[in-house]
Amino acid sequence: MAATLRIQSDWSQALRRDEGEAWLSCRSPGKPTLYGSLTRRGLSTEGVPDIAASEGFVVGEVTKKSILVSCPHENVSTKFLAPYTTFSRIHQKSITCLDISSGGGLGVSTSTDGTMKIWQAANGEIRRLLEGHVYDVNCCRFFPSGLVVLSGGMDAQLKIWSAEDASCVVTFKGHKGGILDTAIVERGRNVLSCSRDGTARLWDCGKSSCLGVIADCGSPINGIAVGVADDSVNLGTPEKAPSEREIGTEGKILLLAREDKKLQGVGLQSRQQVFLFDGSDAFNCCTFLSSTYFLAGTQDGNIYQLDVRNTNAPIQIIHRSGAPVLSLLPYRDGFIASQGDGTCFIIQQDLDYVIDLTEADCDPVYKVAPWEKQIYTCCRDGVVRRYQLGDL
C-alpha cells in the first residue's frame, strides 16, 4: 500500500500563532517513518499563513482551513482540512451515528447518552428529541423526503419518526438482537435492517409488517447496503411470487458486512446468495460506488474494492492504518472512509492527493454524512464537525 501522510490533529490552531509548529509524518510499509514539521513564518498580504516545511516535505496551497503537503520521496500528497464549524453541545457523550436531510437543513444523530436528536445543520441548534427506544440507539437516517427518520436500537426495534413533531409513527418488531444498520429501498415504501441476530429483514412501512427475512447467516451483520446490480449479474429467481407490498426490490442486490469475516451479496427479491467473499477480519461496513463496483471495510483496516460481476479477487485493497474501518460512502467519483484511529479521508479518481478531514485526534470517527460541498462527521469525543470542501 502507498505511503500515508499524517499531521498533528490541532494543526490549524498550532499554525495560527507566529512561529507556531505542527508535526508531520510519512509512513510507508516496510520503511522507517519519516518525521518532520510545519512552521508558520508570518502572514501573506491576503491574510493566509505563510507555512514552511522541514526537510523531505513540501507545502503546496494554503488557505485558512486547509494545507496541501507532499512528501516527494514517497510520491504522496495530502490536503489536510480543518473543520469549518464544530457542534459540541448536541450530545453529552460519544455520537455513534448521524445523517443530514436531503435538503441539507436538518441533522439527526444518536449517542451513547441514550438520546436521538434532530438539529439544525447550519448551527447545531436542537429542534427535536426522539424518545421511545429502550437502551442505546445504534443507527439513524433520513428518508429521501427529509421529513421522516428511520432508527434502529439495541432493543431490537426499528422505528420511523416524524422529523416535524418527533412522533414515532411506526415500530417494527421481529429481530431477536440489537439492530446494527438500516437501508432504505428507493423512496422508502420498504426498508431494510440487519441485526446481531444474524438476519437481514425487509419491512413494509405502510402496514408496519415484515415482508421477509432476506438472509439468515448465523453471524452478526454489522452493516448493509442496497444497490442496483449490473444487468449481467444473475440475482436468482424468487421461490414464490413476491408480495405486491414489495416495492422496488427487483434488480437489486443487498450487501451484508458480516462479523464472521464474510461479505455476502444477496438478490433482494430472490433472497438467493449471489456471492460470498472471505476477508481478512470482521467486516464493519459496505457501500456501492456504482452498479458494478462496491467497497467493504474490515476491523483490521482493509478497504476492499470489488466488482459485483466477479468477486473471486478484489480489484484493490486500500490500507492506510490497522484501525477498524467504521464507515464508507460514495463521494463524487470516489469515496469517503472513516476509521477507529480518528482518521477520515476522501479518495477521488481525478485528484492526485488524498483529502484528510482532521481534528478528531485519536477518537474513532463513527459516521460521515455529506451534503453538497459540506461533510459532517461524528466521533467518540461527542463532537459533530462540519467541513467545507469548496471546489476541489
Side-chain angles (χ1 to χ4, degrees):
M1 183 55 209
T4 308
L5 279 170
R6 289 284 171 86
I7 199 167
Q8 184 174 317
S9 64
D10 62 348
W11 63 272
S12 66
Q13 277 101 320
L15 296 176
R16 269 187 206 143
R17 302 183 296 273
D18 270 341
E19 306 301 316
E21 258 196 356
W23 61 260
L24 280 173
S25 70
C26 180
R27 203 178 75 235
S28 204
K31 296 181 186 174
T33 301
L34 185 63
Y35 293 98
S37 62
L38 298 173
T39 311
R40 175 169 154 156
R41 294 186 297 205
L43 274 181
S44 72
T45 46
E46 288 84 43
V48 174
D50 173 20
I51 310 290
S54 58
E55 193 183 344
F57 297 92
V58 176
V59 174
E61 187 197 12
V62 179
T63 71
K64 286 177 183 170
K65 293 284 181 188
S66 73
I67 185 165
L68 182 63
V69 179
S70 347
C71 178
H73 186 64
E74 293 296 339
N75 192 27
V76 61
S77 300
T78 300
K79 181 183 245 187
F80 297 103
L81 213 58
Y84 184 77
T85 336
T86 56
F87 305 136
S88 51
R89 302 250 261 296
I90 298 172
H91 293 282
Q92 306 307 305
K93 287 186 181 170
S94 176
I95 303 172
T96 48
C97 192
L98 95 166
D99 194 23
I100 302 295
S101 65
S102 51
L106 294 175
V108 62
S109 53
T110 59
S111 165
T112 54
D113 64 13
T115 66
M116 176 165 48
K117 295 177 180 178
I118 289 176
W119 34 275
Q120 301 256 151
N123 56 17
E125 193 179 301
I126 294 160
R127 296 292 300 274
R128 295 280 180 266
L129 185 59
L130 306 180
E131 292 178 298
H133 278 286
V134 189
Y135 316 122
D136 280 358
V137 190
N138 291 333
C139 45
C140 58
R141 68 170 72 238
F142 281 101
F143 277 73
S145 67
L147 304 172
V148 187
V149 168
L150 177 67
S151 67
M154 285 307 284
D155 57 7
Q157 296 186 52
L158 189 66
K159 288 178 177 284
I160 296 178
W161 311 78
S162 158
E164 296 172 299
D165 65 8
S167 60
C168 175
V169 288
V170 177
T171 298
F172 298 109
K173 291 180 181 175
H175 278 297
K176 305 279 189 292
I179 293 170
L180 300 177
D181 198 11
T182 61
I184 293 172
V185 184
E186 292 185 353
R187 296 213 324 272
R189 306 263 294 275
N190 292 174
V191 297
L192 291 149
S193 59
C194 67
S195 161
R196 282 183 196 277
D197 66 13
T199 68
R201 291 172 179 259
L202 180 71
W203 308 87
D204 174 359
C205 296
K207 290 216 162 137
S208 59
S209 62
C210 182
L211 287 166
V213 174
I214 305 296
D216 187 349
C217 52
S219 161
I221 304 170
N222 295 321
I224 52 175
V226 67
V228 175
D230 185 81
D231 291 341
S232 63
V233 179
N234 178 11
L235 297 178
T237 333
E239 283 173 14
K240 58 177 198 284
S243 151
E244 75 279 0
R245 303 289 305 175
E246 266 192 43
I247 315 284
T249 57
E250 198 181 352
K252 293 197 176 65
I253 191 166
L254 182 68
L255 299 180
L256 311 172
R258 295 168 31 168
E259 183 67 25
D260 61 1
K261 306 186 183 181
K262 289 179 168 42
L263 180 72
Q264 187 177 1
V266 179
L268 185 52
Q269 193 178 72
S270 70
R271 325 286 202 249
Q272 312 277 323
Q273 181 172 298
V274 177
F275 70 82
L276 192 63
F277 176 81
D278 288 295
S280 54
D281 203 345
F283 280 98
N284 291 330
C285 51
C286 50
T287 194
F288 280 93
L289 295 177
S290 67
S291 62
T292 44
Y293 301 120
F294 59 92
L295 300 174
T298 60
Q299 187 66 14
D300 59 358
N302 284 329
I303 298 171
Y304 291 88
Q305 184 180 354
L306 292 143
D307 184 327
V308 73
R309 296 164 300 186
N310 177 7
T311 56
N312 293 333
I315 297 166
Q316 63 168 334
I317 302 173
I318 296 159
H319 186 94
R320 283 172 58 87
S321 84
V325 180
L326 300 176
S327 75
L328 287 167
L329 272 178
Y331 189 71
R332 298 187 183 173
D333 61 356
F335 68 90
I336 309 177
S338 73
Q339 291 187 259
D341 57 0
T343 57
C344 183
F345 58 90
I346 303 172
I347 292 180
Q348 286 183 210
Q349 287 170 3
D350 61 343
L351 289 183
D352 54 3
Y353 55 85
V354 174
I355 296 164
D356 213 316
L357 308 181
T358 63
E359 241 179 58
D361 205 0
C362 295
D363 280 309
V365 177
Y366 292 117
K367 254 317 181 260
V368 181
W371 184 76
E372 292 191 347
K373 291 179 180 177
Q374 296 171 15
I375 292 177
Y376 294 76
T377 65
C378 69
C379 185
R380 191 173 66 188
D381 62 9
V383 178
V384 170
R385 294 177 173 84
R386 185 175 101 208
Y387 299 84
Q388 197 79 32
L389 268 84
D391 301 309
L392 296 176

